[in-house]
């Protein structure tokens, strides 16, 4: 009987050990399964990250820089020792699907020995893909001489164009001009006309660039503003030049840009 009791106790202990081993083995299998899932999730995350970076680089490589297709400057006035220059750049966006956002025209005036005498910049709101605008900056320079060098540089950020952006932002070609006249007055001159809004919606404001050309070259440029342009309608405009000393020219170029 005593031997039988010892035998029973021994069997119970063995069974308990086997049950414990089986339970531990089950936990190890569960941990192995979790580890496999973590590795697979990690691989998936890494793959996605690499894919995203690759797309970003590809998009960047497709970006084209803005082009200055015409530029120059002229002396607008002198006050004391300060000479005021008006510098301009006709800027084209050669991209198909990237809008230039807040492009900046920087004008730097240097003396003959390279000393920077003055620098300033002008910013416009945007240039749509394929569009061309005229950017202007007026700058005052002390100690200006005819051998000074004027440098123009254009920089910008870009955003990808969506359908909503195209619906909200017009091109300069969306505006046309009729009934343009050049009028001389006793103490001033002015240019008048009408601007047609051919865009897909009303436009609150446009910057109107007025350029005087001689033999195809800009000899004078300035801006004014026109407001409340209704879709499909003509809106009258007037640009006034407060002097009778109008630069010699043989044609007028007008360009409107939404702002």
């Amino acid at each position: 009987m005593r031997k039988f009791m010892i035998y029973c106790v021994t069997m119970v202990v063995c069974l308990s050990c086997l049950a414990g081993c089986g339970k531990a083995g089950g936990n190890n299998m569960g941990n192995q399964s979790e580890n496999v899932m973590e590795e697979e999730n990690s691989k998936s995350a890494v793959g996605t990250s690499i894919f995203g970076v690759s797309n970003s680089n590809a998009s960047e490589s497709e970006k084209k820089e803005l082009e200055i297709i015409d530029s120059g400057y002229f002396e607008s006035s002198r006050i004391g020792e300060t000479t005021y220059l008006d510098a301009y750049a006709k800027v084209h966006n050669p991209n198909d699907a990237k809008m230039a956002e807040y492009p900046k025209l920087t004008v730097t005036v240097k003396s003959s020995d390279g000393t920077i005498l003055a620098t300033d910049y002008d910013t416009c709101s945007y240039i749509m893909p394929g569009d061309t605008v005229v950017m202007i900056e007026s700058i005052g320079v002390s100690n200006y001489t005819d051998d000074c060098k004027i440098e123009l540089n254009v920089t910008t950020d870009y955003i990808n164009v969506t359908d909503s952006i195209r619906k909200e932002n017009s091109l300069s070609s969306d505006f046309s001009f009729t009934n343009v006249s050049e009028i001389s007055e006793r103490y001033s001159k002015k240019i008048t006309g009408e601007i047609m809004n051919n865009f897909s919606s009303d436009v609150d404001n446009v910057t109107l660039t007025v350029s005087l050309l001689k033999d195809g070259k800009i000899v004078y440029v300035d801006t004014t503003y026109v407001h409340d342009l209704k879709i499909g309608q003509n809106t009258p405009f007037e640009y006034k030049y407060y002097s009778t000393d109008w630069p010699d020219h043989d044609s007028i170029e007008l360009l409107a840009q939404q702002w």
Side-chain angles (χ1 to χ4, degrees), residues 134-180:
V134 177
M135 300 182 67
I136 308 169
E137 175 57 20
S138 297
I139 186 169
V141 188
S142 299
N143 303 315
Y144 176 77
T145 57
D146 290 339
D147 60 355
C148 285
K149 181 179 180 181
I150 289 78
E151 297 178 350
L152 288 80
N153 182 48
V154 177
T155 57
T156 189
D157 292 325
Y158 292 92
I159 60 173
N160 293 323
V161 174
T162 61
D163 289 341
S164 61
I165 288 178
R166 292 188 186 277
K167 291 178 181 178
E168 295 172 0
N169 299 278
S170 62
L171 301 170
S172 58
S173 58
D174 288 319
F175 304 97
S176 56
F177 302 91
T178 57
N179 195 24
V180 177

mmCIF file of all heavy atoms in Angstrom, residues 134-180:
data_model
loop_
_atom_site.group_PDB
_atom_site.id
_atom_site.type_symbol
_atom_site.label_atom_id
_atom_site.label_comp_id
_atom_site.label_asym_id
_atom_site.label_seq_id
_atom_site.Cartn_x
_atom_site.Cartn_y
_atom_site.Cartn_z
ATOM 1 N N VAL A 134 5.517 89.874 -65.998
ATOM 2 C CA VAL A 134 6.571 90.874 -65.887
ATOM 3 C C VAL A 134 6.691 91.280 -64.425
ATOM 4 O O VAL A 134 5.700 91.684 -63.805
ATOM 5 C CB VAL A 134 6.274 92.110 -66.760
ATOM 6 C CG1 VAL A 134 7.372 93.164 -66.564
ATOM 7 C CG2 VAL A 134 6.174 91.727 -68.224
ATOM 8 N N MET A 135 7.898 91.149 -63.877
ATOM 9 C CA MET A 135 8.161 91.551 -62.500
ATOM 10 C C MET A 135 9.012 92.823 -62.511
ATOM 11 O O MET A 135 9.932 92.963 -63.331
ATOM 12 C CB MET A 135 8.876 90.427 -61.741
ATOM 13 C CG MET A 135 8.083 89.131 -61.680
ATOM 14 S SD MET A 135 8.895 87.820 -60.726
ATOM 15 C CE MET A 135 8.816 88.521 -59.065
ATOM 16 N N ILE A 136 8.705 93.742 -61.608
ATOM 17 C CA ILE A 136 9.349 95.052 -61.580
ATOM 18 C C ILE A 136 9.806 95.368 -60.161
ATOM 19 O O ILE A 136 9.099 95.069 -59.186
ATOM 20 C CB ILE A 136 8.385 96.158 -62.054
ATOM 21 C CG1 ILE A 136 7.762 95.796 -63.404
ATOM 22 C CG2 ILE A 136 9.087 97.499 -62.129
ATOM 23 C CD1 ILE A 136 6.610 96.709 -63.777
ATOM 24 N N GLU A 137 10.965 95.986 -60.053
ATOM 25 C CA GLU A 137 11.440 96.459 -58.753
ATOM 26 C C GLU A 137 12.120 97.821 -58.926
ATOM 27 O O GLU A 137 12.987 97.989 -59.796
ATOM 28 C CB GLU A 137 12.425 95.472 -58.122
ATOM 29 C CG GLU A 137 13.064 95.936 -56.835
ATOM 30 C CD GLU A 137 12.058 96.286 -55.740
ATOM 31 O OE1 GLU A 137 10.893 95.829 -55.801
ATOM 32 O OE2 GLU A 137 12.436 97.019 -54.820
ATOM 33 N N SER A 138 11.692 98.791 -58.130
ATOM 34 C CA SER A 138 12.320 100.113 -58.114
ATOM 35 C C SER A 138 13.308 100.169 -56.961
ATOM 36 O O SER A 138 12.994 99.733 -55.847
ATOM 37 C CB SER A 138 11.267 101.214 -57.952
ATOM 38 O OG SER A 138 10.372 101.216 -59.053
ATOM 39 N N ILE A 139 14.492 100.718 -57.221
ATOM 40 C CA ILE A 139 15.540 100.709 -56.220
ATOM 41 C C ILE A 139 16.300 102.035 -56.258
ATOM 42 O O ILE A 139 16.602 102.568 -57.340
ATOM 43 C CB ILE A 139 16.497 99.514 -56.457
ATOM 44 C CG1 ILE A 139 17.510 99.390 -55.331
ATOM 45 C CG2 ILE A 139 17.168 99.576 -57.808
ATOM 46 C CD1 ILE A 139 18.292 98.083 -55.370
ATOM 47 N N GLY A 140 16.556 102.612 -55.078
ATOM 48 C CA GLY A 140 17.308 103.849 -54.972
ATOM 49 C C GLY A 140 18.773 103.560 -54.681
ATOM 50 O O GLY A 140 19.091 102.738 -53.823
ATOM 51 N N VAL A 141 19.659 104.246 -55.413
ATOM 52 C CA VAL A 141 21.090 103.982 -55.302
ATOM 53 C C VAL A 141 21.847 105.287 -55.103
ATOM 54 O O VAL A 141 21.722 106.216 -55.917
ATOM 55 C CB VAL A 141 21.629 103.275 -56.570
ATOM 56 C CG1 VAL A 141 23.078 102.840 -56.355
ATOM 57 C CG2 VAL A 141 20.750 102.099 -56.957
ATOM 58 N N SER A 142 22.637 105.361 -54.041
ATOM 59 C CA SER A 142 23.546 106.489 -53.845
ATOM 60 C C SER A 142 24.862 106.199 -54.563
ATOM 61 O O SER A 142 25.261 105.040 -54.704
ATOM 62 C CB SER A 142 23.796 106.720 -52.354
ATOM 63 O OG SER A 142 22.595 107.031 -51.686
ATOM 64 N N ASN A 143 25.520 107.256 -55.023
ATOM 65 C CA ASN A 143 26.813 107.127 -55.714
ATOM 66 C C ASN A 143 26.705 106.283 -56.978
ATOM 67 O O ASN A 143 27.638 105.567 -57.340
ATOM 68 C CB ASN A 143 27.873 106.517 -54.778
ATOM 69 C CG ASN A 143 28.043 107.319 -53.505
ATOM 70 O OD1 ASN A 143 28.117 108.551 -53.544
ATOM 71 N ND2 ASN A 143 28.093 106.633 -52.367
ATOM 72 N N TYR A 144 25.553 106.360 -57.652
ATOM 73 C CA TYR A 144 25.367 105.596 -58.887
ATOM 74 C C TYR A 144 26.119 106.256 -60.036
ATOM 75 O O TYR A 144 26.083 107.480 -60.211
ATOM 76 C CB TYR A 144 23.882 105.511 -59.229
ATOM 77 C CG TYR A 144 23.607 104.826 -60.544
ATOM 78 C CD1 TYR A 144 23.668 103.440 -60.651
ATOM 79 C CD2 TYR A 144 23.304 105.575 -61.688
ATOM 80 C CE1 TYR A 144 23.424 102.807 -61.862
ATOM 81 C CE2 TYR A 144 23.058 104.944 -62.890
ATOM 82 C CZ TYR A 144 23.122 103.563 -62.970
ATOM 83 O OH TYR A 144 22.885 102.940 -64.175
ATOM 84 N N THR A 145 26.809 105.446 -60.820
ATOM 85 C CA THR A 145 27.492 105.922 -62.021
ATOM 86 C C THR A 145 27.131 105.005 -63.185
ATOM 87 O O THR A 145 26.611 103.894 -62.988
ATOM 88 C CB THR A 145 29.020 105.928 -61.832
ATOM 89 O OG1 THR A 145 29.462 104.593 -61.487
ATOM 90 C CG2 THR A 145 29.434 106.893 -60.720
ATOM 91 N N ASP A 146 27.442 105.443 -64.385
ATOM 92 C CA ASP A 146 27.055 104.689 -65.571
ATOM 93 C C ASP A 146 27.765 103.337 -65.686
ATOM 94 O O ASP A 146 27.308 102.448 -66.423
ATOM 95 C CB ASP A 146 27.323 105.512 -66.837
ATOM 96 C CG ASP A 146 26.369 106.697 -66.959
ATOM 97 O OD1 ASP A 146 25.295 106.644 -66.321
ATOM 98 O OD2 ASP A 146 26.702 107.652 -67.681
ATOM 99 N N ASP A 147 28.894 103.179 -64.986
ATOM 100 C CA ASP A 147 29.613 101.899 -65.074
ATOM 101 C C ASP A 147 29.200 100.918 -63.977
ATOM 102 O O ASP A 147 29.833 99.870 -63.805
ATOM 103 C CB ASP A 147 31.128 102.115 -65.043
ATOM 104 C CG ASP A 147 31.599 102.811 -63.773
ATOM 105 O OD1 ASP A 147 30.737 103.213 -62.957
ATOM 106 O OD2 ASP A 147 32.827 102.967 -63.601
ATOM 107 N N CYS A 148 28.132 101.228 -63.233
ATOM 108 C CA CYS A 148 27.612 100.283 -62.240
ATOM 109 C C CYS A 148 27.015 99.069 -62.943
ATOM 110 O O CYS A 148 26.531 99.155 -64.078
ATOM 111 C CB CYS A 148 26.553 100.945 -61.362
ATOM 112 S SG CYS A 148 27.209 102.077 -60.118
ATOM 113 N N LYS A 149 27.042 97.951 -62.250
ATOM 114 C CA LYS A 149 26.500 96.710 -62.792
ATOM 115 C C LYS A 149 25.216 96.360 -62.043
ATOM 116 O O LYS A 149 25.168 96.396 -60.815
ATOM 117 C CB LYS A 149 27.519 95.578 -62.637
ATOM 118 C CG LYS A 149 27.053 94.238 -63.197
ATOM 119 C CD LYS A 149 28.122 93.173 -63.024
ATOM 120 C CE LYS A 149 27.663 91.832 -63.576
ATOM 121 N NZ LYS A 149 28.687 90.781 -63.379
ATOM 122 N N ILE A 150 24.169 96.014 -62.796
ATOM 123 C CA ILE A 150 22.880 95.646 -62.198
ATOM 124 C C ILE A 150 22.636 94.165 -62.445
ATOM 125 O O ILE A 150 22.655 93.703 -63.600
ATOM 126 C CB ILE A 150 21.724 96.484 -62.780
ATOM 127 C CG1 ILE A 150 21.799 97.932 -62.281
ATOM 128 C CG2 ILE A 150 20.384 95.887 -62.366
ATOM 129 C CD1 ILE A 150 22.791 98.798 -62.949
ATOM 130 N N GLU A 151 22.451 93.420 -61.365
ATOM 131 C CA GLU A 151 22.210 91.977 -61.456
ATOM 132 C C GLU A 151 20.770 91.665 -61.073
ATOM 133 O O GLU A 151 20.245 92.206 -60.086
ATOM 134 C CB GLU A 151 23.164 91.217 -60.535
ATOM 135 C CG GLU A 151 24.631 91.379 -60.896
ATOM 136 C CD GLU A 151 25.564 90.648 -59.943
ATOM 137 O OE1 GLU A 151 25.085 90.171 -58.895
ATOM 138 O OE2 GLU A 151 26.763 90.565 -60.243
ATOM 139 N N LEU A 152 20.123 90.797 -61.830
ATOM 140 C CA LEU A 152 18.754 90.361 -61.561
ATOM 141 C C LEU A 152 18.736 88.852 -61.379
ATOM 142 O O LEU A 152 19.350 88.121 -62.164
ATOM 143 C CB LEU A 152 17.809 90.748 -62.699
ATOM 144 C CG LEU A 152 17.456 92.237 -62.844
ATOM 145 C CD1 LEU A 152 18.574 92.993 -63.547
ATOM 146 C CD2 LEU A 152 16.157 92.417 -63.622
ATOM 147 N N ASN A 153 18.032 88.417 -60.356
ATOM 148 C CA ASN A 153 17.942 86.982 -60.064
ATOM 149 C C ASN A 153 16.518 86.650 -59.622
ATOM 150 O O ASN A 153 15.914 87.403 -58.842
ATOM 151 C CB ASN A 153 18.939 86.614 -58.960
ATOM 152 C CG ASN A 153 18.919 85.129 -58.658
ATOM 153 O OD1 ASN A 153 18.976 84.305 -59.551
ATOM 154 N ND2 ASN A 153 18.828 84.790 -57.380
ATOM 155 N N VAL A 154 15.990 85.530 -60.120
ATOM 156 C CA VAL A 154 14.633 85.112 -59.764
ATOM 157 C C VAL A 154 14.686 83.765 -59.044
ATOM 158 O O VAL A 154 15.318 82.823 -59.526
ATOM 159 C CB VAL A 154 13.737 84.994 -61.008
ATOM 160 C CG1 VAL A 154 12.347 84.473 -60.623
ATOM 161 C CG2 VAL A 154 13.604 86.341 -61.695
ATOM 162 N N THR A 155 14.037 83.690 -57.897
ATOM 163 C CA THR A 155 13.926 82.440 -57.137
ATOM 164 C C THR A 155 12.461 82.205 -56.782
ATOM 165 O O THR A 155 11.653 83.144 -56.772
ATOM 166 C CB THR A 155 14.762 82.489 -55.848
ATOM 167 O OG1 THR A 155 14.340 83.618 -55.054
ATOM 168 C CG2 THR A 155 16.250 82.634 -56.165
ATOM 169 N N THR A 156 12.131 80.953 -56.477
ATOM 170 C CA THR A 156 10.735 80.645 -56.157
ATOM 171 C C THR A 156 10.619 79.305 -55.455
ATOM 172 O O THR A 156 11.541 78.482 -55.492
ATOM 173 C CB THR A 156 9.877 80.610 -57.441
ATOM 174 O OG1 THR A 156 8.490 80.523 -57.085
ATOM 175 C CG2 THR A 156 10.242 79.416 -58.308
ATOM 176 N N ASP A 157 9.479 79.096 -54.808
ATOM 177 C CA ASP A 157 9.051 77.773 -54.364
ATOM 178 C C ASP A 157 8.033 77.255 -55.372
ATOM 179 O O ASP A 157 7.434 78.034 -56.131
ATOM 180 C CB ASP A 157 8.418 77.838 -52.968
ATOM 181 C CG ASP A 157 9.428 78.195 -51.891
ATOM 182 O OD1 ASP A 157 10.596 77.757 -52.012
ATOM 183 O OD2 ASP A 157 9.063 78.911 -50.947
ATOM 184 N N TYR A 158 7.827 75.937 -55.371
ATOM 185 C CA TYR A 158 6.883 75.332 -56.304
ATOM 186 C C TYR A 158 5.846 74.500 -55.551
ATOM 187 O O TYR A 158 6.131 73.942 -54.498
ATOM 188 C CB TYR A 158 7.603 74.407 -57.302
ATOM 189 C CG TYR A 158 8.505 75.121 -58.267
ATOM 190 C CD1 TYR A 158 9.854 75.311 -57.977
ATOM 191 C CD2 TYR A 158 8.014 75.601 -59.479
ATOM 192 C CE1 TYR A 158 10.688 75.970 -58.863
ATOM 193 C CE2 TYR A 158 8.857 76.249 -60.373
ATOM 194 C CZ TYR A 158 10.190 76.432 -60.057
ATOM 195 O OH TYR A 158 11.008 77.085 -60.937
ATOM 196 N N ILE A 159 4.653 74.430 -56.119
ATOM 197 C CA ILE A 159 3.642 73.494 -55.638
ATOM 198 C C ILE A 159 3.044 72.780 -56.849
ATOM 199 O O ILE A 159 2.988 73.345 -57.949
ATOM 200 C CB ILE A 159 2.528 74.176 -54.814
ATOM 201 C CG1 ILE A 159 1.793 75.223 -55.663
ATOM 202 C CG2 ILE A 159 3.084 74.804 -53.561
ATOM 203 C CD1 ILE A 159 0.579 75.796 -54.952
ATOM 204 N N ASN A 160 2.624 71.544 -56.648
ATOM 205 C CA ASN A 160 1.977 70.794 -57.719
ATOM 206 C C ASN A 160 0.591 71.360 -57.987
ATOM 207 O O ASN A 160 -0.160 71.668 -57.055
ATOM 208 C CB ASN A 160 1.883 69.313 -57.351
ATOM 209 C CG ASN A 160 3.244 68.647 -57.293
ATOM 210 O OD1 ASN A 160 4.127 68.939 -58.089
ATOM 211 N ND2 ASN A 160 3.426 67.748 -56.342
ATOM 212 N N VAL A 161 0.260 71.499 -59.253
ATOM 213 C CA VAL A 161 -1.019 72.098 -59.635
ATOM 214 C C VAL A 161 -2.117 71.048 -59.625
ATOM 215 O O VAL A 161 -1.981 69.980 -60.220
ATOM 216 C CB VAL A 161 -0.919 72.743 -61.028
ATOM 217 C CG1 VAL A 161 -2.280 73.241 -61.486
ATOM 218 C CG2 VAL A 161 0.075 73.897 -60.991
ATOM 219 N N THR A 162 -3.188 71.355 -58.932
ATOM 220 C CA THR A 162 -4.378 70.501 -58.898
ATOM 221 C C THR A 162 -5.495 71.169 -59.700
ATOM 222 O O THR A 162 -5.373 72.332 -60.109
ATOM 223 C CB THR A 162 -4.845 70.277 -57.453
ATOM 224 O OG1 THR A 162 -5.190 71.557 -56.878
ATOM 225 C CG2 THR A 162 -3.732 69.644 -56.610
ATOM 226 N N ASP A 163 -6.589 70.440 -59.910
ATOM 227 C CA ASP A 163 -7.730 71.012 -60.631
ATOM 228 C C ASP A 163 -8.287 72.237 -59.903
ATOM 229 O O ASP A 163 -8.681 73.218 -60.542
ATOM 230 C CB ASP A 163 -8.825 69.955 -60.801
ATOM 231 C CG ASP A 163 -8.436 68.873 -61.794
ATOM 232 O OD1 ASP A 163 -7.514 69.131 -62.605
ATOM 233 O OD2 ASP A 163 -9.041 67.785 -61.759
ATOM 234 N N SER A 164 -8.322 72.175 -58.581
ATOM 235 C CA SER A 164 -8.859 73.304 -57.812
ATOM 236 C C SER A 164 -7.975 74.539 -57.967
ATOM 237 O O SER A 164 -8.480 75.663 -58.038
ATOM 238 C CB SER A 164 -8.990 72.929 -56.334
ATOM 239 O OG SER A 164 -7.721 72.608 -55.776
ATOM 240 N N ILE A 165 -6.653 74.353 -58.044
ATOM 241 C CA ILE A 165 -5.748 75.494 -58.239
ATOM 242 C C ILE A 165 -5.976 76.113 -59.614
ATOM 243 O O ILE A 165 -6.002 77.342 -59.766
ATOM 244 C CB ILE A 165 -4.285 75.048 -58.076
ATOM 245 C CG1 ILE A 165 -3.989 74.746 -56.596
ATOM 246 C CG2 ILE A 165 -3.319 76.115 -58.594
ATOM 247 C CD1 ILE A 165 -2.588 74.244 -56.329
ATOM 248 N N ARG A 166 -6.164 75.278 -60.630
ATOM 249 C CA ARG A 166 -6.411 75.809 -61.979
ATOM 250 C C ARG A 166 -7.728 76.580 -62.043
ATOM 251 O O ARG A 166 -7.855 77.548 -62.804
ATOM 252 C CB ARG A 166 -6.425 74.673 -63.001
ATOM 253 C CG ARG A 166 -5.055 74.008 -63.199
ATOM 254 C CD ARG A 166 -5.074 73.017 -64.348
ATOM 255 N NE ARG A 166 -3.822 72.292 -64.459
ATOM 256 C CZ ARG A 166 -2.735 72.736 -65.079
ATOM 257 N NH1 ARG A 166 -2.769 73.933 -65.658
ATOM 258 N NH2 ARG A 166 -1.639 72.015 -65.146
ATOM 259 N N LYS A 167 -8.713 76.163 -61.256
ATOM 260 C CA LYS A 167 -10.003 76.847 -61.252
ATOM 261 C C LYS A 167 -9.933 78.190 -60.526
ATOM 262 O O LYS A 167 -10.731 79.090 -60.794
ATOM 263 C CB LYS A 167 -11.065 75.965 -60.596
ATOM 264 C CG LYS A 167 -11.436 74.735 -61.423
ATOM 265 C CD LYS A 167 -12.467 73.875 -60.684
ATOM 266 C CE LYS A 167 -12.826 72.642 -61.500
ATOM 267 N NZ LYS A 167 -13.796 71.760 -60.786
ATOM 268 N N GLU A 168 -8.974 78.332 -59.617
ATOM 269 C CA GLU A 168 -8.893 79.541 -58.794
ATOM 270 C C GLU A 168 -7.884 80.562 -59.318
ATOM 271 O O GLU A 168 -7.960 81.739 -58.962
ATOM 272 C CB GLU A 168 -8.509 79.161 -57.356
ATOM 273 C CG GLU A 168 -9.556 78.335 -56.636
ATOM 274 C CD GLU A 168 -9.051 77.810 -55.296
ATOM 275 O OE1 GLU A 168 -7.880 78.113 -54.965
ATOM 276 O OE2 GLU A 168 -9.822 77.135 -54.602
ATOM 277 N N ASN A 169 -6.921 80.130 -60.137
ATOM 278 C CA ASN A 169 -5.828 81.007 -60.549
ATOM 279 C C ASN A 169 -5.761 81.103 -62.071
ATOM 280 O O ASN A 169 -5.538 80.110 -62.762
ATOM 281 C CB ASN A 169 -4.500 80.477 -60.007
ATOM 282 C CG ASN A 169 -4.478 80.425 -58.494
ATOM 283 O OD1 ASN A 169 -4.238 81.425 -57.835
ATOM 284 N ND2 ASN A 169 -4.740 79.249 -57.937
ATOM 285 N N SER A 170 -5.931 82.309 -62.566
ATOM 286 C CA SER A 170 -5.965 82.525 -64.008
ATOM 287 C C SER A 170 -4.558 82.644 -64.580
ATOM 288 O O SER A 170 -3.561 82.778 -63.857
ATOM 289 C CB SER A 170 -6.738 83.813 -64.306
ATOM 290 O OG SER A 170 -6.060 84.917 -63.719
ATOM 291 N N LEU A 171 -4.475 82.606 -65.915
ATOM 292 C CA LEU A 171 -3.261 82.893 -66.661
ATOM 293 C C LEU A 171 -3.325 84.332 -67.177
ATOM 294 O O LEU A 171 -4.415 84.912 -67.292
ATOM 295 C CB LEU A 171 -3.116 81.936 -67.841
ATOM 296 C CG LEU A 171 -3.056 80.432 -67.546
ATOM 297 C CD1 LEU A 171 -3.155 79.650 -68.855
ATOM 298 C CD2 LEU A 171 -1.784 80.080 -66.824
ATOM 299 N N SER A 172 -2.180 84.888 -67.520
ATOM 300 C CA SER A 172 -2.187 86.226 -68.109
ATOM 301 C C SER A 172 -2.928 86.216 -69.455
ATOM 302 O O SER A 172 -3.525 87.227 -69.852
ATOM 303 C CB SER A 172 -0.756 86.729 -68.289
ATOM 304 O OG SER A 172 -0.013 85.850 -69.114
ATOM 305 N N SER A 173 -2.904 85.077 -70.143
ATOM 306 C CA SER A 173 -3.600 84.960 -71.428
ATOM 307 C C SER A 173 -5.124 84.919 -71.283
ATOM 308 O O SER A 173 -5.840 84.959 -72.295
ATOM 309 C CB SER A 173 -3.121 83.708 -72.175
ATOM 310 O OG SER A 173 -3.333 82.544 -71.393
ATOM 311 N N ASP A 174 -5.625 84.825 -70.048
ATOM 312 C CA ASP A 174 -7.067 84.833 -69.816
ATOM 313 C C ASP A 174 -7.652 86.246 -69.879
ATOM 314 O O ASP A 174 -8.867 86.417 -69.724
ATOM 315 C CB ASP A 174 -7.397 84.216 -68.450
ATOM 316 C CG ASP A 174 -7.187 82.715 -68.430
ATOM 317 O OD1 ASP A 174 -7.541 82.070 -69.424
ATOM 318 O OD2 ASP A 174 -6.660 82.197 -67.421
ATOM 319 N N PHE A 175 -6.795 87.247 -70.113
ATOM 320 C CA PHE A 175 -7.254 88.632 -70.199
ATOM 321 C C PHE A 175 -6.805 89.230 -71.537
ATOM 322 O O PHE A 175 -5.660 89.059 -71.960
ATOM 323 C CB PHE A 175 -6.689 89.465 -69.042
ATOM 324 C CG PHE A 175 -7.015 88.901 -67.685
ATOM 325 C CD1 PHE A 175 -6.097 88.106 -67.018
ATOM 326 C CD2 PHE A 175 -8.243 89.137 -67.094
ATOM 327 C CE1 PHE A 175 -6.391 87.568 -65.776
ATOM 328 C CE2 PHE A 175 -8.551 88.606 -65.850
ATOM 329 C CZ PHE A 175 -7.624 87.815 -65.193
ATOM 330 N N SER A 176 -7.713 89.916 -72.194
ATOM 331 C CA SER A 176 -7.411 90.558 -73.471
ATOM 332 C C SER A 176 -7.795 92.037 -73.394
ATOM 333 O O SER A 176 -8.555 92.454 -72.507
ATOM 334 C CB SER A 176 -8.157 89.863 -74.616
ATOM 335 O OG SER A 176 -9.554 89.849 -74.366
ATOM 336 N N PHE A 177 -7.275 92.831 -74.354
ATOM 337 C CA PHE A 177 -7.431 94.287 -74.287
ATOM 338 C C PHE A 177 -7.997 94.822 -75.593
ATOM 339 O O PHE A 177 -7.642 94.374 -76.685
ATOM 340 C CB PHE A 177 -6.080 94.941 -73.988
ATOM 341 C CG PHE A 177 -5.455 94.470 -72.701
ATOM 342 C CD1 PHE A 177 -4.598 93.380 -72.692
ATOM 343 C CD2 PHE A 177 -5.751 95.102 -71.503
ATOM 344 C CE1 PHE A 177 -4.040 92.937 -71.507
ATOM 345 C CE2 PHE A 177 -5.194 94.659 -70.315
ATOM 346 C CZ PHE A 177 -4.335 93.577 -70.318
ATOM 347 N N THR A 178 -8.875 95.791 -75.466
ATOM 348 C CA THR A 178 -9.472 96.460 -76.622
ATOM 349 C C THR A 178 -9.565 97.953 -76.339
ATOM 350 O O THR A 178 -9.430 98.403 -75.186
ATOM 351 C CB THR A 178 -10.884 95.915 -76.920
ATOM 352 O OG1 THR A 178 -11.711 96.073 -75.745
ATOM 353 C CG2 THR A 178 -10.851 94.439 -77.294
ATOM 354 N N ASN A 179 -9.820 98.713 -77.422
ATOM 355 C CA ASN A 179 -10.066 100.161 -77.315
ATOM 356 C C ASN A 179 -8.930 100.878 -76.575
ATOM 357 O O ASN A 179 -9.166 101.779 -75.762
ATOM 358 C CB ASN A 179 -11.410 100.401 -76.605
ATOM 359 C CG ASN A 179 -11.913 101.819 -76.768
ATOM 360 O OD1 ASN A 179 -11.550 102.513 -77.732
ATOM 361 N ND2 ASN A 179 -12.739 102.269 -75.827
ATOM 362 N N VAL A 180 -7.690 100.488 -76.851
ATOM 363 C CA VAL A 180 -6.534 101.070 -76.166
ATOM 364 C C VAL A 180 -6.144 102.382 -76.846
ATOM 365 O O VAL A 180 -5.991 102.442 -78.081
ATOM 366 C CB VAL A 180 -5.341 100.093 -76.169
ATOM 367 C CG1 VAL A 180 -4.122 100.731 -75.515
ATOM 368 C CG2 VAL A 180 -5.722 98.809 -75.454
#
